[in-house]
Protein backbone atom coordinates (compact mmCIF):
# COMPACT_ATOMS: atom_id res chain seq x y z
CA UNK A 1 0.00 0.00 0.00
CA UNK A 2 1.34 3.44 -0.86
CA UNK A 3 1.49 6.10 1.82
CA UNK A 4 1.14 8.84 -0.75
CA UNK A 5 -2.01 10.90 -0.34
CA UNK A 6 -4.42 10.78 -3.27
CA UNK A 7 -3.79 13.50 -5.83
CA UNK A 8 -5.87 16.62 -5.39
CA UNK A 9 -8.45 17.33 -8.03
CA UNK A 10 -7.60 20.31 -10.15
CA UNK A 11 -10.13 23.09 -9.67
CA UNK A 12 -12.42 23.54 -12.61
CA UNK A 13 -11.35 26.56 -14.64
CA UNK A 14 -13.93 29.31 -14.81
CA UNK A 15 -13.81 30.81 -18.28
CA UNK A 16 -16.07 33.77 -17.65
CA UNK A 17 -19.45 34.88 -16.41
CA UNK A 18 -22.66 33.02 -17.28
CA UNK A 19 -24.04 35.70 -19.63
CA UNK A 20 -20.86 35.81 -21.73
CA UNK A 21 -20.72 32.02 -21.92
CA UNK A 22 -24.34 31.90 -23.11
CA UNK A 23 -23.64 34.64 -25.67
CA UNK A 24 -20.49 32.76 -26.74
CA UNK A 25 -18.21 35.73 -26.39
CA UNK A 26 -14.94 36.21 -24.50
CA UNK A 27 -15.49 37.52 -20.99
CA UNK A 28 -13.02 39.98 -19.47
CA UNK A 29 -13.51 38.09 -16.16
CA UNK A 30 -14.26 41.24 -14.27
CA UNK A 31 -16.85 41.25 -11.48
CA UNK A 32 -19.01 42.65 -12.96
CA UNK A 33 -17.58 42.24 -16.45
CA UNK A 34 -17.60 45.24 -18.78
CA UNK A 35 -19.40 43.39 -21.58
CA UNK A 36 -22.42 42.73 -19.34
CA UNK A 37 -22.41 46.34 -18.17
CA UNK A 38 -22.33 47.66 -21.76
CA UNK A 39 -25.21 45.33 -22.69
CA UNK A 40 -27.25 46.37 -19.67
CA UNK A 41 -27.25 42.85 -18.23
CA UNK A 42 -26.84 41.87 -14.61
CA UNK A 43 -23.49 40.07 -14.46
CA UNK A 44 -23.59 36.79 -12.56
CA UNK A 45 -19.87 37.00 -11.79
CA UNK A 46 -17.44 34.11 -11.93
CA UNK A 47 -17.90 30.67 -10.47
CA UNK A 48 -20.83 28.26 -10.42
CA UNK A 49 -24.21 29.87 -11.02
CA UNK A 50 -27.36 28.61 -9.35
CA UNK A 51 -30.95 29.30 -10.32
CA UNK A 52 -33.69 29.01 -7.69
CA UNK A 53 -37.24 28.03 -8.52
CA UNK A 54 -40.28 29.19 -6.58
CA UNK A 55 -40.67 25.94 -4.68
CA UNK A 56 -38.82 24.08 -1.97
CA UNK A 57 -37.35 20.63 -1.77
CA UNK A 58 -39.60 18.11 -0.10
CA UNK A 59 -37.01 15.39 0.53
CA UNK A 60 -33.33 14.97 1.31
CA UNK A 61 -30.99 17.34 3.05
CA UNK A 62 -32.52 20.30 1.20
CA UNK A 63 -36.02 19.66 2.62
CA UNK A 64 -37.78 22.93 3.33
CA UNK A 65 -35.20 25.01 1.47
CA UNK A 66 -35.30 26.74 -1.91
CA UNK A 67 -34.01 24.42 -4.59
CA UNK A 68 -30.70 25.32 -6.26
CA UNK A 69 -30.08 24.30 -9.84
CA UNK A 70 -26.43 24.30 -10.86
CA UNK A 71 -25.77 25.82 -14.27
CA UNK A 72 -22.10 24.84 -14.51
CA UNK A 73 -21.77 21.33 -15.82
CA UNK A 74 -19.86 18.19 -16.47
CA UNK A 75 -19.34 15.98 -19.50
CA UNK A 76 -21.76 13.23 -18.53
CA UNK A 77 -24.45 11.19 -20.18
CA UNK A 78 -26.74 8.83 -18.31
CA UNK A 79 -27.53 5.30 -19.36
CA UNK A 80 -31.21 4.41 -18.92
CA UNK A 81 -30.34 1.22 -17.03
CA UNK A 82 -27.23 2.12 -15.09
CA UNK A 83 -28.80 4.38 -12.47
CA UNK A 84 -25.70 6.54 -12.71
CA UNK A 85 -23.99 8.79 -15.18
CA UNK A 86 -21.44 7.53 -17.65
CA UNK A 87 -19.56 8.87 -20.63
CA UNK A 88 -20.47 6.28 -23.25
CA UNK A 89 -22.19 8.74 -25.61
CA UNK A 90 -19.51 11.25 -26.60
CA UNK A 91 -21.33 13.12 -29.36
CA UNK A 92 -24.10 14.66 -27.30
CA UNK A 93 -22.01 17.53 -26.00
CA UNK A 94 -21.89 18.96 -22.49
CA UNK A 95 -24.80 18.33 -20.16
CA UNK A 96 -25.31 20.12 -16.89
CA UNK A 97 -26.54 18.12 -13.91
CA UNK A 98 -28.98 19.28 -11.29
CA UNK A 99 -27.37 19.55 -7.87
CA UNK A 100 -30.31 17.88 -6.11
CA UNK A 101 -29.43 14.94 -3.91
CA UNK A 102 -33.05 13.79 -3.49
CA UNK A 103 -33.56 13.18 -7.25
CA UNK A 104 -32.12 10.01 -8.76
CA UNK A 105 -29.30 10.38 -11.27
CA UNK A 106 -31.37 9.35 -14.31
CA UNK A 107 -34.01 11.96 -13.49
CA UNK A 108 -31.34 14.61 -13.00
CA UNK A 109 -29.86 13.74 -16.35
CA UNK A 110 -33.20 13.78 -18.21
CA UNK A 111 -34.31 17.05 -16.65
CA UNK A 112 -31.02 18.64 -17.55
CA UNK A 113 -31.11 17.11 -21.04
CA UNK A 114 -34.48 18.81 -21.56
CA UNK A 115 -32.95 22.12 -20.45
CA UNK A 116 -29.90 21.91 -22.69
CA UNK A 117 -31.12 20.02 -25.76
CA UNK A 118 -34.93 20.07 -26.08
CA UNK A 119 -36.00 23.45 -24.70
CA UNK A 120 -33.51 25.48 -26.81
CA UNK A 121 -34.87 23.87 -29.99
CA UNK A 122 -38.43 24.91 -29.15
CA UNK A 123 -37.78 28.67 -29.20
CA UNK A 124 -35.88 30.90 -31.61
CA UNK A 125 -33.44 32.24 -29.01
CA UNK A 126 -32.11 30.86 -25.76
CA UNK A 127 -29.92 33.59 -24.27
CA UNK A 128 -32.11 35.47 -21.80
CA UNK A 129 -35.47 33.73 -21.71
CA UNK A 130 -36.79 30.31 -22.67
CA UNK A 131 -40.24 29.54 -21.33
CA UNK A 132 -39.77 25.78 -21.45
CA UNK A 133 -36.58 26.03 -19.44
CA UNK A 134 -37.32 29.01 -17.20
CA UNK A 135 -41.07 28.60 -16.52
CA UNK A 136 -42.07 24.97 -17.06
CA UNK A 137 -38.92 23.13 -15.98
CA UNK A 138 -38.92 24.58 -12.41
CA UNK A 139 -42.44 23.13 -11.96
CA UNK A 140 -40.91 19.65 -11.92
CA UNK A 141 -39.70 20.12 -8.36
CA UNK A 142 -43.26 20.25 -7.02
CA UNK A 143 -45.26 18.44 -9.71
CA UNK A 144 -44.47 14.80 -10.52
CA UNK A 145 -46.79 14.79 -13.54
CA UNK A 146 -44.97 17.66 -15.25
CA UNK A 147 -41.68 16.01 -14.35
CA UNK A 148 -42.70 12.71 -15.93
CA UNK A 149 -43.83 14.47 -19.12
CA UNK A 150 -40.50 16.29 -19.41
CA UNK A 151 -38.50 13.12 -18.75
CA UNK A 152 -40.58 11.27 -21.36
CA UNK A 153 -39.75 13.99 -23.88
CA UNK A 154 -36.02 13.81 -23.14
CA UNK A 155 -36.01 10.00 -23.30
CA UNK A 156 -37.93 10.05 -26.61
CA UNK A 157 -35.42 12.49 -28.07
CA UNK A 158 -32.57 10.23 -26.95
CA UNK A 159 -34.33 7.13 -28.28
CA UNK A 160 -34.12 8.47 -31.84
CA UNK A 161 -30.35 8.04 -31.55
CA UNK A 162 -30.11 5.33 -28.88
CA UNK A 163 -32.92 2.75 -28.90
CA UNK A 164 -32.28 1.69 -25.31
CA UNK A 165 -34.09 4.84 -24.15
CA UNK A 166 -37.44 3.76 -25.71
CA UNK A 167 -38.60 1.84 -22.65
CA UNK A 168 -37.86 4.77 -20.34
CA UNK A 169 -39.76 7.12 -22.65
CA UNK A 170 -42.80 4.84 -22.56
CA UNK A 171 -42.62 4.47 -18.76
CA UNK A 172 -42.49 8.23 -18.11
CA UNK A 173 -45.15 9.00 -20.74
CA UNK A 174 -47.61 6.55 -19.17
CA UNK A 175 -46.85 7.96 -15.71
CA UNK A 176 -47.59 11.50 -16.97
CA UNK A 177 -50.88 10.41 -18.55
CA UNK A 178 -51.85 8.61 -15.34
CA UNK A 179 -51.04 11.74 -13.37
CA UNK A 180 -53.29 13.82 -15.64
CA UNK A 181 -56.15 11.38 -15.14
CA UNK A 182 -55.81 11.68 -11.36
CA UNK A 183 -56.05 15.50 -11.31
CA UNK A 184 -58.88 16.76 -9.10
CA UNK A 185 -57.53 20.08 -7.80
CA UNK A 186 -58.83 23.12 -9.77
CA UNK A 187 -55.63 25.00 -8.89
CA UNK A 188 -53.67 22.56 -11.05
CA UNK A 189 -54.89 24.12 -14.32
CA UNK A 190 -51.52 25.45 -15.40
CA UNK A 191 -49.54 22.31 -14.45
CA UNK A 192 -52.11 20.20 -16.32
CA UNK A 193 -51.93 22.41 -19.38
CA UNK A 194 -48.12 22.43 -19.25
CA UNK A 195 -48.13 18.62 -19.07
CA UNK A 196 -50.35 18.32 -22.14
CA UNK A 197 -48.22 20.78 -24.12
CA UNK A 198 -45.03 18.88 -23.21
CA UNK A 199 -46.63 15.54 -24.12
CA UNK A 200 -47.63 16.98 -27.48
CA UNK A 201 -44.03 18.03 -28.07
CA UNK A 202 -42.97 14.49 -27.16
CA UNK A 203 -45.41 13.17 -29.78
CA UNK A 204 -43.93 15.55 -32.34
CA UNK A 205 -40.32 14.58 -31.54
CA UNK A 206 -41.04 10.84 -31.65
CA UNK A 207 -43.45 11.12 -34.65
CA UNK A 208 -46.24 9.07 -33.08
CA UNK A 209 -49.92 8.95 -33.95
CA UNK A 210 -51.62 10.09 -30.73
CA UNK A 211 -51.23 13.81 -31.42
CA UNK A 212 -54.92 14.32 -32.44
CA UNK A 213 -55.98 12.95 -29.04
CA UNK A 214 -53.73 15.40 -27.20
CA UNK A 215 -54.96 18.27 -29.36
CA UNK A 216 -58.56 17.44 -28.46
CA UNK A 217 -57.59 17.15 -24.79
CA UNK A 218 -56.03 20.62 -24.83
CA UNK A 219 -59.02 22.12 -26.63
CA UNK A 220 -61.51 20.51 -24.20
CA UNK A 221 -59.43 21.51 -21.19
CA UNK A 222 -59.27 25.15 -22.27
CA UNK A 223 -63.05 25.20 -22.78
CA UNK A 224 -63.65 23.59 -19.36
CA UNK A 225 -61.52 26.28 -17.72
CA UNK A 226 -63.71 29.03 -19.16
CA UNK A 227 -61.81 29.69 -22.36
CA UNK A 228 -58.44 31.24 -23.14
CA UNK A 229 -59.27 34.61 -21.58
CA UNK A 230 -59.91 32.98 -18.19
CA UNK A 231 -56.72 30.97 -18.32
CA UNK A 232 -54.61 33.85 -19.54
CA UNK A 233 -56.00 36.96 -17.86
CA UNK A 234 -57.94 35.87 -14.76
CA UNK A 235 -54.64 35.49 -12.92
CA UNK A 236 -52.10 36.78 -15.42
CA UNK A 237 -48.61 35.39 -14.93
CA UNK A 238 -45.64 34.89 -17.26
CA UNK A 239 -46.46 31.16 -17.21
CA UNK A 240 -50.11 31.61 -18.21
CA UNK A 241 -49.22 33.93 -21.06
CA UNK A 242 -46.43 31.65 -22.27
CA UNK A 243 -48.68 28.58 -22.24
CA UNK A 244 -51.39 30.31 -24.27
CA UNK A 245 -48.79 31.56 -26.76
CA UNK A 246 -47.55 28.01 -27.20
CA UNK A 247 -51.08 26.71 -27.67
CA UNK A 248 -51.69 29.33 -30.36
CA UNK A 249 -48.48 28.22 -32.07
CA UNK A 250 -49.59 24.60 -31.87
CA UNK A 251 -52.98 25.57 -33.30
CA UNK A 252 -51.34 27.26 -36.29
CA UNK A 253 -49.04 24.34 -37.05
CA UNK A 254 -51.62 21.62 -36.33
CA UNK A 255 -54.24 23.04 -38.68
CA UNK A 256 -53.05 21.29 -41.87
CA UNK A 257 -52.73 17.91 -40.13
CA UNK A 258 -55.95 17.53 -38.18
CA UNK A 259 -59.42 18.97 -37.73
CA UNK A 260 -58.72 18.89 -33.98
CA UNK A 261 -56.67 22.08 -34.15
CA UNK A 262 -57.30 24.33 -31.17
CA UNK A 263 -59.38 27.38 -32.02
CA UNK A 264 -58.15 30.08 -29.63
CA UNK A 265 -59.15 33.56 -30.80
CA UNK A 266 -56.78 36.45 -30.23
CA UNK A 267 -59.11 38.97 -28.68
CA UNK A 268 -58.17 39.44 -25.04
CA UNK A 269 -57.19 42.88 -23.75
CA UNK A 270 -53.60 41.69 -23.30
CA UNK A 271 -53.51 40.65 -26.96
CA UNK A 272 -54.99 43.94 -28.16
CA UNK A 273 -52.50 45.91 -26.05
CA UNK A 274 -49.65 43.85 -27.50
CA UNK A 275 -50.87 44.36 -31.06
CA UNK A 276 -51.26 48.10 -30.51
CA UNK A 277 -47.78 48.33 -29.01
CA UNK A 278 -46.29 46.75 -32.12
CA UNK A 279 -48.70 48.45 -34.55
CA UNK A 280 -50.22 45.17 -35.70
CA UNK A 281 -53.82 44.44 -36.55
CA UNK A 282 -55.38 41.61 -34.55
CA UNK A 283 -54.98 38.27 -36.27
CA UNK A 284 -57.84 36.80 -38.28
CA UNK A 285 -58.29 33.33 -39.77
CA UNK A 286 -56.55 34.57 -42.95
CA UNK A 287 -53.71 36.14 -41.00
CA UNK A 288 -51.80 33.64 -38.84
CA UNK A 289 -51.27 34.50 -35.19
CA UNK A 290 -47.52 35.00 -34.76
CA UNK A 291 -47.65 36.52 -31.28
CA UNK A 292 -45.68 33.55 -29.94
CA UNK A 293 -42.78 34.78 -32.08
CA UNK A 294 -43.22 38.54 -32.04
CA UNK A 295 -43.12 38.57 -28.25
CA UNK A 296 -39.36 38.02 -28.62
CA UNK A 297 -39.12 41.58 -29.95
CA UNK A 298 -39.45 42.67 -26.32
CA UNK A 299 -37.11 39.99 -24.96
CA UNK A 300 -34.39 40.15 -27.62
CA UNK A 301 -34.62 43.55 -29.34
CA UNK A 302 -31.08 43.04 -30.65
CA UNK A 303 -32.48 40.19 -32.79
CA UNK A 304 -35.36 42.20 -34.25
CA UNK A 305 -34.28 41.70 -37.91
CA UNK A 306 -34.07 37.93 -37.42
CA UNK A 307 -37.42 37.80 -35.61
CA UNK A 308 -39.14 39.76 -38.37
CA UNK A 309 -37.53 37.53 -41.01
CA UNK A 310 -38.79 34.43 -39.21
CA UNK A 311 -42.29 35.90 -38.93
CA UNK A 312 -42.34 36.82 -42.62
CA UNK A 313 -41.24 33.31 -43.69
CA UNK A 314 -43.82 31.57 -41.47
CA UNK A 315 -46.54 33.94 -42.71
CA UNK A 316 -45.51 33.24 -46.31
CA UNK A 317 -45.79 29.47 -45.73
CA UNK A 318 -49.21 29.89 -44.11
CA UNK A 319 -50.41 31.79 -47.18
CA UNK A 320 -49.13 28.98 -49.42
CA UNK A 321 -51.14 26.43 -47.45
CA UNK A 322 -54.30 28.57 -47.38
CA UNK A 323 -54.13 29.13 -51.13
CA UNK A 324 -53.70 25.41 -51.84
CA UNK A 325 -56.40 24.39 -49.32
CA UNK A 326 -58.79 26.78 -51.09
CA UNK A 327 -58.07 24.80 -54.28
CA UNK A 328 -57.08 27.88 -56.25
CA UNK A 329 -55.14 27.37 -59.49
CA UNK A 330 -51.54 26.40 -58.89
CA UNK A 331 -50.41 29.60 -60.61
CA UNK A 332 -51.90 31.54 -57.68
CA UNK A 333 -49.18 30.10 -55.44
CA UNK A 334 -46.28 30.49 -57.86
CA UNK A 335 -45.40 34.00 -56.67
CA UNK A 336 -45.68 32.99 -53.00
CA UNK A 337 -43.34 30.04 -53.56
CA UNK A 338 -40.82 32.27 -55.36
CA UNK A 339 -40.95 34.73 -52.46
CA UNK A 340 -40.39 31.92 -49.96
CA UNK A 341 -37.43 30.45 -51.84
CA UNK A 342 -35.83 33.88 -52.30
CA UNK A 343 -36.24 34.71 -48.60
CA UNK A 344 -34.88 31.38 -47.36
CA UNK A 345 -31.94 31.47 -49.75
CA UNK A 346 -30.67 34.38 -47.63
CA UNK A 347 -32.22 33.45 -44.27
CA UNK A 348 -32.55 29.77 -43.46
CA UNK A 349 -31.59 27.07 -40.97
CA UNK A 350 -28.08 28.45 -40.46
CA UNK A 351 -29.42 31.92 -39.54
CA UNK A 352 -30.17 33.05 -35.97
CA UNK A 353 -33.40 31.35 -34.90
CA UNK A 354 -33.63 29.41 -38.16
CA UNK A 355 -33.94 26.08 -36.35
CA UNK A 356 -37.70 26.73 -35.88
CA UNK A 357 -38.45 26.68 -39.62
CA UNK A 358 -39.38 23.00 -40.02
CA UNK A 359 -43.07 23.66 -40.65
CA UNK A 360 -42.54 26.47 -43.21
CA UNK A 361 -40.04 24.39 -45.19
CA UNK A 362 -42.43 21.44 -45.21
CA UNK A 363 -45.44 23.51 -46.33
CA UNK A 364 -43.57 25.43 -49.01
CA UNK A 365 -41.77 22.26 -50.09
CA UNK A 366 -45.08 20.55 -50.74
CA UNK A 367 -45.85 23.21 -53.35
CA UNK A 368 -42.44 23.06 -55.06
CA UNK A 369 -42.39 21.52 -58.54
CA UNK A 370 -38.84 22.13 -59.75
CA UNK A 371 -36.26 19.47 -58.86
CA UNK A 372 -33.70 22.02 -57.65
CA UNK A 373 -36.28 23.66 -55.36
CA UNK A 374 -37.21 20.31 -53.87
CA UNK A 375 -33.55 19.51 -53.33
CA UNK A 376 -33.05 22.84 -51.56
CA UNK A 377 -35.96 22.13 -49.19
CA UNK A 378 -34.69 18.61 -48.53
CA UNK A 379 -31.21 19.89 -47.68
CA UNK A 380 -32.66 22.43 -45.25
CA UNK A 381 -34.78 19.77 -43.50
CA UNK A 382 -31.75 17.48 -43.18
CA UNK A 383 -29.82 20.33 -41.62
CA UNK A 384 -32.72 20.87 -39.22
CA UNK A 385 -32.44 17.22 -38.18
CA UNK A 386 -28.73 17.72 -37.52
CA UNK A 387 -29.50 20.85 -35.47
CA UNK A 388 -32.49 19.75 -33.38
CA UNK A 389 -32.48 15.95 -33.53
CA UNK A 390 -36.30 16.09 -33.70
CA UNK A 391 -37.85 13.18 -35.57
CA UNK A 392 -40.44 15.40 -37.25
CA UNK A 393 -37.75 16.82 -39.55
CA UNK A 394 -36.93 13.44 -41.08
CA UNK A 395 -40.62 12.61 -41.20
CA UNK A 396 -41.25 15.86 -43.10
CA UNK A 397 -38.82 14.65 -45.81
CA UNK A 398 -40.56 11.27 -46.07
CA UNK A 399 -43.99 12.88 -46.25
CA UNK A 400 -42.83 15.34 -48.92
CA UNK A 401 -41.66 12.43 -51.06
CA UNK A 402 -45.15 10.93 -50.83
CA UNK A 403 -46.72 14.28 -51.77
CA UNK A 404 -44.34 14.80 -54.69
CA UNK A 405 -45.14 11.33 -56.06
CA UNK A 406 -48.88 11.87 -55.76
CA UNK A 407 -51.48 13.86 -57.62
CA UNK A 408 -54.30 16.13 -56.61
CA UNK A 409 -54.55 18.69 -53.83
CA UNK A 410 -51.91 17.86 -51.23
CA UNK A 411 -53.33 20.33 -48.69
CA UNK A 412 -56.71 18.61 -48.68
CA UNK A 413 -55.13 15.15 -48.61
CA UNK A 414 -52.70 15.95 -45.79
CA UNK A 415 -55.07 15.03 -42.96
CA UNK A 416 -55.33 11.51 -44.35
CA UNK A 417 -51.67 11.18 -45.24
CA UNK A 418 -50.07 12.47 -42.04
CA UNK A 419 -49.17 9.95 -39.35
CA UNK A 420 -47.12 12.43 -37.31
CA UNK A 421 -47.22 16.05 -36.28
CA UNK A 422 -44.79 18.48 -37.94
CA UNK A 423 -44.04 21.70 -36.06
Amino acid sequence: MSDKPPPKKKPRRVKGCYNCSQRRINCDRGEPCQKCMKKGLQCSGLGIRYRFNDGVASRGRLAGKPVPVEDAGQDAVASPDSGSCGSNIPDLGQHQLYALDHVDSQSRFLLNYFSTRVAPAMGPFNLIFNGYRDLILPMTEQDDTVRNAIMATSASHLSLHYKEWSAAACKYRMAAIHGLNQRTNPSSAHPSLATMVILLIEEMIAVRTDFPILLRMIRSFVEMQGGPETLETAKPTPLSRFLMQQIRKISLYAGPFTTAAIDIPRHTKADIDYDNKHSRASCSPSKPDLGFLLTYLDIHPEHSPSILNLASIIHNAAQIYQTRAANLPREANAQLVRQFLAATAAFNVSSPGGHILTWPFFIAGAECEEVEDREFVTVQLKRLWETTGFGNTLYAIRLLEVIWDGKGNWARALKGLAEGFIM
Side-chain angles (χ1 to χ4, degrees):
M1 297 292 291
S2 173
D3 294 332
K4 292 182 179 181
K8 294 182 179 180
K9 292 183 178 180
K10 292 182 179 180
R12 184 169 51 196
R13 184 188 174 199
V14 179
K15 296 181 179 180
C17 75
Y18 177 80
N19 290 332
C20 287
S21 67
Q22 290 295 295
R23 294 166 62 198
R24 298 183 179 180
I25 61 176
N26 292 326
C27 181
D28 61 23
R29 296 174 56 80
E31 295 195 52
C33 78
Q34 294 299 311
K35 293 186 178 180
C36 282
M37 293 180 67
K38 290 179 180 179
K39 197 68 177 176
L41 301 175
Q42 181 177 358
C43 183
S44 60
L46 305 180
I48 295 173
R49 174 181 178 266
Y50 289 88
R51 289 183 289 110
F52 288 81
N53 69 9
D54 295 331
V56 296
S58 58
R59 300 178 294 278
R61 63 181 176 82
L62 297 177
K65 299 179 181 179
V67 179
V69 179
E70 183 181 352
D71 276 343
Q74 308 170 12
D75 280 331
V77 177
S79 165
D81 301 318
S82 66
S84 62
C85 292
S87 57
N88 58 323
I89 308 179
D91 61 335
L92 292 181
Q94 289 190 338
H95 300 285
Q96 304 154 358
L97 300 181
Y98 282 82
L100 303 176
D101 65 348
H102 63 281
V103 178
D104 65 90
S105 60
Q106 185 178 118
S107 297
R108 288 199 305 271
F109 168 74
L110 290 173
L111 293 172
N112 183 72
Y113 187 91
F114 182 88
S115 175
T116 57
R117 292 301 300 271
V118 179
M122 290 303 302
F125 305 104
N126 197 47
L127 298 177
I128 297 176
F129 171 77
N130 182 299
Y132 288 99
R133 179 196 64 206
D134 300 329
L135 298 177
I136 295 181
L137 189 58
M139 297 169 68
T140 61
E141 177 57 27
Q142 295 179 307
D143 196 296
D144 291 341
T145 302
V146 177
R147 182 192 301 177
N148 283 322
I150 283 180
M151 292 194 296
T153 303
S154 294
S156 285
H157 189 275
L158 280 162
S159 71
L160 297 177
H161 306 268
Y162 309 98
K163 297 299 182 183
E164 59 267 29
W165 282 97
S166 297
C170 181
K171 178 184 73 173
Y172 291 126
R173 179 170 62 254
M174 297 306 296
I177 293 172
H178 178 75
L180 277 176
N181 291 333
Q182 299 301 311
R183 296 281 196 196
T184 57
N185 188 349
S187 65
S188 65
H190 289 143
S192 296
L193 200 55
T195 299
M196 286 183 271
V197 168
I198 295 297
L199 286 175
L200 186 58
I201 292 170
E202 191 260 345
E203 287 278 328
M204 180 262 299
I205 290 174
V207 193
R208 289 189 288 101
T209 58
D210 290 339
F211 68 95
I213 298 174
L214 279 164
L215 287 166
R216 287 193 292 269
M217 286 175 61
I218 293 174
R219 181 177 59 183
S220 298
F221 185 83
V222 170
E223 292 173 352
M224 288 174 57
Q225 298 298 319
E229 187 166 1
T230 299
L231 278 170
E232 189 170 10
T233 63
K235 293 182 179 180
T237 64
L239 175 62
S240 63
R241 184 159 181 80
F242 175 76
L243 285 173
M244 296 313 296
Q245 287 171 344
Q246 295 308 297
I247 291 173
R248 290 191 177 97
K249 176 176 73 173
I250 291 168
S251 180
L252 169 64
Y253 292 150
F257 299 95
T258 175
T259 55
I262 312 145
D263 181 19
I264 302 215
R266 186 176 175 84
H267 57 67
T268 67
K269 183 179 184 300
D271 292 326
I272 294 171
D273 290 344
Y274 185 85
D275 288 332
N276 290 338
K277 180 179 178 181
H278 293 284
S279 301
R280 298 194 311 121
S282 294
C283 294
S284 66
S286 61
K287 185 176 181 180
D289 181 358
L290 300 178
F292 67 88
L293 180 59
L294 296 178
T295 188
Y296 284 92
L297 290 170
D298 296 329
I299 302 171
H300 289 288
E302 72 277 14
H303 289 303
S304 294
S306 295
I307 295 168
L308 295 176
N309 275 331
L310 291 167
S312 176
I313 290 169
I314 296 171
H315 181 240
N316 191 178
Q319 287 182 302
I320 291 172
Y321 170 76
Q322 290 169 349
T323 301
R324 178 57 47 237
N327 208 28
L328 297 177
R330 190 169 284 271
E331 293 75 18
N333 252 347
Q335 180 62 29
L336 290 173
V337 172
R338 284 195 296 270
Q339 290 174 357
F340 180 90
L341 294 172
T344 53
F347 188 97
N348 50 50
V349 178
S350 61
S351 305
H355 60 271
I356 70 168
L357 292 176
T358 302
W359 186 87
F361 272 112
F362 169 76
I363 293 296
E367 193 70 8
C368 289
E369 293 185 323
E370 300 296 329
V371 173
E372 61 179 345
D373 296 337
R374 292 177 175 182
E375 289 177 349
F376 171 74
V377 168
T378 301
V379 167
Q380 294 300 317
L381 288 170
K382 287 180 178 178
R383 291 171 64 189
L384 279 163
W385 159 252
E386 294 168 357
T387 302
T388 68
F390 285 7
N392 69 322
T393 55
L394 294 181
Y395 178 65
I397 295 173
R398 297 196 300 270
L399 190 53
L400 282 176
E401 291 171 349
V402 173
I403 291 172
W404 291 336
D405 288 340
K407 296 180 180 179
N409 190 319
W410 62 266
R412 294 190 173 187
L414 196 54
K415 295 181 180 68
L417 290 174
E419 297 178 356
F421 176 41
I422 296 172
M423 183 169 71

